[in-house]
Amino acid sequence: MVAEEGRKLYLKIDATDRMKQLMTEYYIDAKGAEGTDRPICWITSGGPVEFLIAMDVIPIYPENHGAMCGASKMGVQLAEVAEGLGFSGDLCSYARLDIGSAITHGGPIGGLPRPDFLLCCNNICGTVQKWYEELARYFEVPMFLMDTPFIHKTTYEHATEYVRKQCLELVAFLEEQTGREFSLERFAEVAMLSVEGIELWKEVLKTAEHRPSPLTCFDAFIHMALIVTLRGTPEVVEYYRLLKGEMEKRIENGISAVPEEKHRLIWDNIPIWFEMRNLGQLFARNNTCLVADTYTTAWAIDIKIDDPLTSMADAYTGIYLNISIDLMFEKLLALIERFSADGVVMHSNRSCKPYSLGQYDLARMVTERTGKPVLMIEADMTDSRAYSEAQVRDRVEAFIESFP
Amino acid sequence: MTVAGVDIGSNTAKAVIMDNGDILATSLIMTGHQSRLAGRRALDLALREAGLEEGDIALIVATGYGRLTTDFTDQKVTEITCHAKGAHSVQPEARTVIDLGGQDSKVIAVGENGKVVDFVMNDKCAAGTGRFLEVMAAALEIELDNMGEVSLESESPASISSVCTVFAESEVVSRVAEGTNKMDIVAGIHQAIASRIYAMTVRVPFKEKVIMTGGVARNIGVVRALEKRLETSLVVPEMPQHMGALGAAIIAEERAGA
Ligand code: SF4
């Protein structure tokens, strides 16, 4: 049954203003650095940004920018530019719209500042490697590839060593590019701040264990921007402290994110950026809170301070998209249990093959093991041409109607 | 107590009026481009047939894609829940509902109580839907309603390997050009649909009995092809297109009584 709209379906999080301010400052600063002697590096979302921060290099995340373009509903027009150049419509839409934006300076902020070099880590997918090679050709800048072996069952010492050695090569690469010297001390400091930010972020997400939950995964998708782009800086630590405080206040005052939380679900895969608002309201209207997701927790990695390079190598190798289905299943099960979820919503994302391949197996495994239902919705994170609102609304409502 | 269920689909709008479990009247019209009006007209038609006025109806439940645009209905429920309900009422032993409508196809696993246990729907694709058959009928220049009978005469169905409507259409055109019999081509089309639906049935806990609903259930060729592919017989209710509206009316009865 659908909730009467007595209370607003969406409660604004006050901290959002501060986050927007930080993100705006970050982009203004980065755009201002273009053409100056302050180096800019484009980096993949799973890349080890701590090295860049420690070397005072400005990190730029095309994927975060892609999400922004998607949320501003500009994804299609930018993707079409790339398609016009011959890039396949089956290529990840982040790659397509990033290429489109690089060429046209299109998007909500008029494109990204030109990179001086690129850092690509293939722990999220193989697509990024080809995409960054394309960028390297287009901008005529060097690219560093960090190769992280896929984890089938467990990590091996030689694999960790392989990645750790690449961290050292990365340091040499950065020293050469910037003409600056790497300081392990400064790096440890950044890693420490990164850990602190990550810990706080985990605690923010943990508040959703409370019933009713003070936040939904749709909130988490927005508020993750800082942990992705600026972890390792003091601002991030300060911000998540603020956000955590606000969530704890909500719990204290009995305020829930969804007016009447009856059902709790887990979200799997990247958000559908252009549809977040509608989806959030659709679930809220049906008294359902998406309490956790496999996406924002991907940034909840562990880095140990005593041996930052080795633990960095392990952390970046072990992220969600670089592990087997069996290991993903364990993580998903843990989320279902920890957040007392009644089921799972899987976004089968046309763009993101590593995230979407195997979802039907995962879904079956979840239902077999827990008896909990899984809903599959087909979409794309930024390409709205692959989305049918009426069909998704139908599936979501029918799914929720089937709950006891 | 008298209640109504209105199902506004992409192709047709249906209404069912019920009184204490008995069906008083039903209606079916083409949806056209204004789904809101179609629902209204379907309801009016059924009311007229039953000799009733809207004021006599205790509760109206809307379902189908057009349900959200209606303003004359009291409650809205998805057609997945309604089809399960409707199918369960005519065949309580049914555990799987295959619904092939104008614009989408779905396979629903139903519990003993008529509630949805699990379901899959086709993604943004017309293959296996009424729309698919319409396109094929046009390509073959035969009447949609004759396809079923025509295909039963085939002894060696042509192979239509593509499940994509656009590709399948060009396959059909080339089969025609090759001089393949129309009945074999139609039988091949039905087999293609059956294999598409089969792929969906393996994604839900598929159990017998299987009931088929939606407009495509009126095509005996598809029914036979599915039975062969699924290796089980299908129950086709008398009014397969009305199962959604019937389910909506039953839900209206439950809710009005509660
Ligand atoms: S394919 Fe997936 S992991 Fe790779 S860049 Fe695209 S969205 Fe990210």
Side-chain angles (χ1 to χ4, degrees):
Chain A
M1 186 144 329
V2 169
E4 296 302 322
E5 304 199 13
R7 199 200 88 185
K8 270 211 282 197
L9 282 180
Y10 178 70
L11 261 199
K12 186 176 174 240
I13 293 178
D14 293 334
T16 313
D17 294 340
R18 175 70 183 137
M19 186 194 61
K20 280 196 181 141
Q21 186 194 358
L22 285 169
M23 285 305 281
T24 309
E25 280 169 9
Y26 156 64
Y27 273 115
I28 289 177
D29 180 58
K31 288 192 72 138
E34 189 172 349
T36 71
D37 57 0
R38 294 170 59 207
I40 295 173
C41 174
W42 288 15
I43 174 173
T44 53
S45 65
V49 70
E50 289 79 4
F51 290 95
L52 301 183
I53 306 267
M55 300 280 286
D56 282 323
V57 173
I58 300 175
I60 288 287
Y61 285 89
E63 288 154 81
N64 172 261
H65 178 241
M68 274 166 51
C69 295
S72 332
K73 305 197 198 291
M74 297 171 96
V76 172
Q77 85 197 47
L78 293 171
E80 277 170 356
V81 174
E83 286 158 28
L85 290 171
F87 289 96
S88 162
D90 288 325
L91 178 65
C92 163
S93 60
Y94 277 167
R96 271 180 287 141
L97 65 85
D98 179 49
I99 290 165
S101 162
I103 290 167
T104 59
H105 300 285
I109 57 165
L112 292 171
R114 193 179 197 286
D116 296 300
F117 44 91
L118 306 165
L119 171 52
C120 173
C121 182
N122 64 9
N123 56 355
I124 47 173
C125 65
T127 301
V128 284
Q129 182 179 341
K130 292 292 146 194
W131 167 11
Y132 273 55
E133 282 170 4
E134 205 57 56
L135 291 174
R137 262 194 291 275
Y138 179 74
F139 288 114
E140 297 181 327
V141 293
M143 155 183 164
F144 186 92
L145 175 71
M146 185 174 266
D147 178 36
T148 49
F150 189 81
I151 303 180
H152 292 277
K153 283 203 168 77
T154 168
T155 39
Y156 296 99
E157 221 169 277
H158 58 268
T160 304
E161 187 51 22
Y162 171 63
V163 180
R164 200 186 68 87
K165 280 210 175 116
Q166 292 179 70
C167 289
L168 296 174
E169 285 167 25
L170 173 61
V171 166
F173 172 82
L174 292 175
E175 285 186 330
E176 191 193 318
Q177 293 303 320
T178 60
R180 298 173 189 156
E181 216 178 300
F182 178 78
S183 141
L184 194 62
E185 211 172 296
R186 169 87 180 108
F187 179 75
E189 204 180 287
V190 170
M192 208 134 76
L193 280 169
S194 186
V195 170
E196 208 181 337
I198 288 169
E199 282 308 318
L200 279 162
W201 174 236
K202 282 194 211 165
E203 285 170 31
V204 168
L205 296 176
K206 194 177 155 56
T207 60
E209 286 176 14
H210 188 267
R211 191 187 277 268
S213 168
L215 86 164
T216 73
C217 75
F218 300 106
D219 296 317
F221 293 150
I222 293 173
H223 291 268
M224 73 189 283
L226 289 172
I227 201 69
V228 178
T229 52
L230 290 172
R231 66 177 176 276
T233 65
E235 289 84 0
V236 166
V237 173
E238 170 239 356
Y239 177 73
Y240 287 113
R241 205 166 275 141
L242 180 78
L243 181 60
K244 186 185 158 212
E246 190 175 340
M247 291 305 109
E248 285 167 347
K249 247 275 136 60
R250 278 191 175 186
I251 293 180
E252 248 173 67
N253 298 334
I255 295 172
S256 57
V258 164
E260 265 180 67
E261 179 191 303
K262 274 207 196 117
H263 315 291
R264 295 161 67 87
L265 301 174
I266 307 284
W267 175 275
D268 180 52
N269 213 314
I270 301 173
I272 306 169
W273 293 111
F274 53 89
E275 198 46 20
M276 282 239 292
R277 212 191 144 92
N278 286 341
L279 273 180
Q281 297 202 346
L282 174 64
F283 282 105
R285 237 186 294 123
N286 286 280
N287 303 330
T288 302
C289 183
L290 273 298
V291 285
D293 64 274
T294 54
Y295 186 54
T296 53
T297 43
W299 276 268
I301 46 180
D302 286 304
I303 300 173
K304 282 171 215 76
I305 295 304
D306 41 344
D307 187 359
L309 283 191
T310 306
S311 62
M312 198 68 97
D314 277 337
Y316 281 100
T317 306
I319 73 158
Y320 193 71
L321 289 185
N322 204 42
I323 57 175
S324 65
I325 297 247
D326 291 327
L327 296 177
M328 281 181 167
F329 177 54
E330 278 172 27
K331 294 208 175 199
L332 188 54
L333 269 188
L335 283 182
I336 294 173
E337 203 158 293
R338 202 150 72 72
F339 288 88
S340 342
D342 306 307
V344 182
V345 179
M346 289 186 173
H347 164 204
S348 171
N349 183 348
R350 192 176 162 82
S351 266
C352 190
K353 283 80 183 171
Y355 220 141
S356 308
L357 190 79
Q359 272 178 319
Y360 278 100
D361 287 312
L362 265 182
R364 188 179 36 77
M365 287 153 83
V366 165
T367 307
E368 272 172 16
R369 176 76 71 87
T370 65
K372 294 187 173 161
V374 180
L375 173 71
M376 199 64 78
I377 54 185
E378 277 95 10
D380 186 283
M381 60 211 175
T382 59
D383 191 339
S384 54
R385 291 169 296 182
Y387 185 75
S388 160
E389 191 197 339
Q391 284 199 353
V392 169
R393 188 184 51 220
D394 245 37
R395 289 180 200 200
V396 167
E397 291 192 339
F399 185 67
I400 296 170
E401 279 167 5
S402 74
F403 282 119
Chain B
M1 179 183 27
T2 317
V3 294
V6 182
D7 176 4
I8 306 146
S10 63
N11 238 345
T12 55
K14 285 83 57 173
V16 167
I17 294 180
M18 272 180 87
D19 183 67
N20 292 324
D22 294 329
I23 296 175
L24 290 187
T26 64
S27 67
L28 184 147
I29 58 162
M30 298 308 286
T31 302
H33 63 282
Q34 275 185 307
S35 57
R36 194 172 52 84
L37 292 183
R40 176 82 254 176
R41 274 177 38 230
L43 178 65
D44 287 344
L45 258 169
L47 282 170
R48 198 170 332 140
E49 194 193 309
L52 295 171
E53 313 234 319
E54 199 176 331
D56 301 326
I57 308 292
L59 194 78
I60 308 174
V61 168
T63 186
Y65 274 111
R67 70 183 182 283
L68 297 178
T69 57
T70 61
D71 49 11
F72 59 93
T73 56
D74 302 300
Q75 291 183 12
K76 303 175 204 315
V77 179
T78 62
E79 64 268 27
I80 296 153
T81 302
C82 289
H83 269 276
K85 224 357 158 216
H88 176 76
S89 79
V90 297
Q91 181 55 257
E93 284 156 38
R95 291 295 167 270
T96 306
V97 179
I98 296 177
D99 174 53
L100 306 191
Q103 183 167 278
D104 64 26
S105 40
K106 35 188 170 296
V107 177
I108 310 167
V110 193
E112 283 172 21
N113 48 6
K115 275 203 86 163
V116 175
V117 174
D118 198 357
F119 64 93
V120 276
M121 285 168 83
N122 65 333
D123 31 29
K124 297 153 285 295
C125 172
T129 68
R131 184 79 196 116
F132 180 78
L133 283 172
E134 271 173 33
V135 172
M136 296 308 140
L140 284 166
E141 297 176 333
I142 62 172
E143 286 292 322
L144 182 64
D145 286 344
N146 293 341
M147 286 180 96
E149 295 295 339
V150 166
S151 68
L152 293 185
E153 288 160 28
S154 163
E155 274 166 18
S156 59
S159 128
I160 306 291
S161 52
S162 184
V163 287
C164 162
T165 307
V166 178
F167 291 165
E169 187 182 5
S170 57
E171 260 186 274
V172 165
V173 171
S174 35
R175 292 284 171 276
V176 173
E178 285 162 11
T180 312
N181 254 322
K182 271 192 190 175
M183 58 188 178
D184 292 337
I185 300 178
V186 179
I189 291 168
H190 293 161
Q191 277 187 357
I193 292 183
S195 90
R196 173 94 188 179
I197 303 303
Y198 170 77
M200 289 168 72
T201 59
V202 296
R203 289 202 240 140
V204 295
F206 181 77
K207 283 193 202 137
E208 296 180 342
K209 284 184 168 167
V210 186
I211 182 167
M212 188 168 166
T213 65
V216 179
R218 287 168 48 229
N219 178 325
I220 184 70
V222 174
V223 176
R224 291 286 172 269
L226 263 173
E227 286 181 327
K228 207 161 156 207
R229 191 72 186 81
L230 297 171
E231 295 174 3
T232 181
S233 59
L234 301 187
V235 180
V236 179
E238 223 175 284
M239 294 191 299
Q241 284 162 291
H242 283 86
M243 287 305 118
L246 176 63
I250 295 169
I251 290 170
E253 202 153 65
E254 288 170 0
R255 291 189 180 170

